[in-house]
Amino acid sequence: MSPEPETLKRACEALSLADHALGTAYRICGVPEWRDRPVAYETIATTIAYQQISVKAAASIWARVQAQFGRVTAAAISEASEDSLRSCGLSRPKVRHMKSVAQACETGALDLQRVAGAPVDEARAELLDVKGIGPWTAELFLLYARGEIDAFPTADLGLMEAYKRLSGADKRLDKADFIALGETWRPWRGVAAHLLWAWLRHDRGS
């Protein structure tokens, strides 16, 4: 689910006034396209697969997962052997995390439809209660599947790198300082993330 275009535009304008680097990103990229994903196990599994590796490497691994399983469902991953998942290029921890989340979905310990409709703090708590879902994965699910405009994956290296370049800094902010910076972007942190991702794609493309 994506926020309304007018909401995104208003958020971008507010962020541009609050932060020069975000203003530069907005001037170059305009209102960013929201990363809209379904309320489904596959959205979480994709996020786990992409964690802490390059986008190119993750895309290659995920393509192999899709080729092997077709539609990536909680049932399919629960029943799959670890060896079959490892053969796609997934690390052992990622296999364990994907299977843990799949089993939680299968047993009802994690109900993604309930997460989709619950107050955001309750939704976040239910996600984080599942082994294999950390803060980064939970925030991305809230961003992508619920369109939460203030969800924010604080330790996302792409965001930190984009901000470093846009601000002209010599090095990235550390995690604590980046979290503190993000607090100044409330209640639009999710839009700030999309602005930074949009600029990073533009920069890499150019």
Side-chain angles (χ1 to χ4, degrees), residues 44-61:
I44 295 178
T46 306
T47 304
I48 291 170
Y50 273 71
Q51 191 171 15
Q52 295 181 332
I53 59 176
S54 72
V55 172
K56 184 177 180 180
S60 178
I61 290 169

Side-chain angles (χ1 to χ4, degrees), residues 10-189:
R10 185 168 70 253
C12 288
E13 290 169 351
L15 289 166
S16 294
L17 292 174
D19 190 296
H20 177 73
L22 296 180
T24 300
Y26 182 44
R27 186 174 66 253
I28 292 171
C29 301
V31 176
E33 181 179 354
W34 196 267
R35 297 184 176 187
D36 191 7
R37 301 290 186 272
V39 178
Y41 168 77
E42 186 169 8
T43 296
I44 295 178
T46 306
T47 304
I48 291 170
Y50 273 71
Q51 191 171 15
Q52 295 181 332
I53 59 176
S54 72
V55 172
K56 184 177 180 180
S60 178
I61 290 169
W62 191 248
R64 291 196 290 273
V65 173
Q66 290 179 309
Q68 182 168 156
F69 295 97
R71 183 164 171 258
V72 182
T73 64
I77 300 303
S78 288
E79 294 170 3
S81 69
E82 289 197 11
D83 287 344
S84 67
L85 289 165
R86 289 277 292 141
S87 71
C88 297
L90 292 162
S91 67
R92 291 189 189 280
K94 289 184 178 182
V95 169
R96 289 196 297 268
H97 292 163
M98 285 174 63
K99 289 184 75 67
S100 173
V101 177
Q103 289 157 8
C105 289
E106 285 291 277
T107 63
L110 175 61
D111 184 330
L112 293 179
Q113 293 305 315
R114 182 171 63 223
V115 166
V120 66
D121 288 342
E122 292 180 18
R124 183 180 286 111
E126 180 164 349
L127 290 165
L128 291 174
D129 198 42
V130 177
K131 185 177 180 180
I133 299 180
W136 186 78
T137 301
E139 293 300 312
L140 288 180
F141 186 82
L142 294 173
L143 269 180
Y144 297 166
R146 285 183 43 134
E148 286 294 338
I149 208 159
D150 196 43
F152 190 60
T154 53
D156 188 283
L157 292 179
L159 297 182
M160 296 167 77
E161 178 65 17
Y163 193 83
K164 184 202 84 169
R165 296 187 198 176
L166 278 163
S167 62
D170 293 330
K171 61 180 182 178
R172 295 175 190 161
L173 294 172
D174 63 25
K175 182 180 176 181
D177 287 340
F178 194 63
I179 290 172
L181 174 66
E183 289 297 309
T184 69
W185 300 335
R186 285 184 181 273
W188 313 113
R189 293 180 302 165

